[in-house]
Amino acid sequence: GAAPRRWLHRSLEALAVGLAALGSPLVLRRGEPSAVLAELAAETGAGAVLWNRRPDPAAEDADRRVAAALEARGVRGEGYDAALLFDPAAVRTKAGEPYRVFTPFWRACRALPEPYRPLRAPERLPAPPAPVRSDRLADWDLTDGADDGWTPGEAAARARLAGFLDGPVTRYAADRDIPSLDGTSRLSPHLHWGEIGPRQVWHAARHTADAHPERAPGIEAFLRELGWREFCQHQLRQAPDLAEKPLDLRFTAFPWREDPDLLSAWKHGRTGYPLVDAGMRQLLATGWMHNRVRMVVASFLVKDLLLPWQAGEAWFREALVDADPANNPANWQWVAGSGADAAPFFRIFNPVAQGEKFDPDGGYVRRWVPELAEMPEEWIHKPWQAPAPTLAAAGVRLGVTYPRPVVDHGLARQRALAAFSAIRGN
């Protein structure tokens, strides 16, 4: 997708600058990783190749091929779990099984020793003895030059973390659910792209809590969200097909619908439900969406439209700058009711009630659905119920300037519950 491609381009630009400051170039090549890295190791006389493991199955398979190719050339290859806080093998139930419920999982994590502190970055990184061939980043054609408001790179990640811990984290427990506020850390894309690690975030937050006790409650809530990320990562280690198959096998028989038109309306923020449409348009414009709204739009797709969660997971993977291969499918399965520690299927978010509770003045909707900008607060989350004079005064023509709802939420809720009842006994 365009947004993650732009992020990757800018992240590589920042990485090149950072490496150059240490004295070494960034080498870009395309091809089968095992062949490319074995060739590069031979060219540079490397004695070892080190990398951070990624939890998705394709990456793990690539890592195995890389290690075998290096071993065949007499080069040591070694992977590390720097993307995790805790060793999955150490977080087990008394029966030796992985946790399927978050609260006891997180309790078990907190009972372990603190994640170890990351090593300091080297102050110098000598360049290879001879120049090494590299592709030009511009030739990879990753970016269209659009500005989506993000600043990728390690320096930006550190600055964002520092700024968040310097004050906003104090209000995090309350502000993180209000999409019109900048109340979250927005570190998820930096974590996804490896520009900062969870252990760096952990220790910075713990240090801040020690130095500023008044921020401790917000930091504890923030660390719990970091723990949810960890929970998702551990899930993918246990279920490599997390993005394709439901953990709750009853959902393989769920009567999902196929409706390309409804799916397109959802993707492009044309459902007629303002909070849903605002979230989907924020995603298209920035490659990111507020977490509270992610839950609402996901519930709407799966339960109001009865479209499969895999379609939503695929769209988020295409459009999000932080579509982690573990977090994305695990959270979609959570909303669908088929995953670990899943919300019960009968927990169906009402998009109007969610808007009125978490966007009471309509500020979020007004920003991302400007055709409703003049609607009064009373009606902005349900314009189809507004009196005709109110619509006219706000310049809204339902079905023309803004769509009517694609489904009736009350009827859709009953339909979803009936569909779930059909599989409950399986």
Side-chain angles (χ1 to χ4, degrees), residues 3 6 148 150 282-289 294 319-322:
R6 282 196 298 270
D148 50 20
W150 292 102
Q282 181 184 29
L283 173 60
L284 287 172
T286 69
W288 187 84
M289 190 192 306
R294 293 189 197 202
L320 281 170
V321 293
D322 63 359

Side-chain angles (χ1 to χ4, degrees), residues 173-185:
D175 288 359
R176 69 187 182 93
D177 272 327
I178 309 301
S180 61
L181 300 178
D182 189 14
T184 64
S185 72

Side-chain angles (χ1 to χ4, degrees), residues 292 295 299 303 334-335 343-349 413 417:
R292 165 58 57 175
M295 292 190 285
S299 177
K303 298 173 182 178
W334 181 85
V335 171
F345 189 86
F346 52 80
R347 184 187 184 192
I348 300 173
F349 285 99
R413 183 178 185 277
L417 293 174

Side-chain angles (χ1 to χ4, degrees), residues 254-319:
F254 193 89
W256 300 113
R257 305 169 68 203
E258 288 189 19
D259 192 320
D261 291 337
L262 281 180
L263 181 60
S264 178
W266 176 81
K267 286 181 177 180
H268 297 94
R270 302 289 296 168
T271 70
Y273 284 89
L275 185 63
V276 173
D277 292 342
M280 300 308 294
R281 295 187 196 185
Q282 181 184 29
L283 173 60
L284 287 172
T286 69
W288 187 84
M289 190 192 306
H290 188 277
N291 187 61
R292 165 58 57 175
V293 186
R294 293 189 197 202
M295 292 190 285
V296 174
V297 305
S299 177
F300 188 84
L301 179 79
V302 173
K303 298 173 182 178
D304 283 67
L305 303 184
L306 282 191
L307 297 179
W309 61 265
Q310 292 93 333
E313 192 279 335
W315 180 244
F316 271 26
R317 183 167 8 106
E318 175 80 7

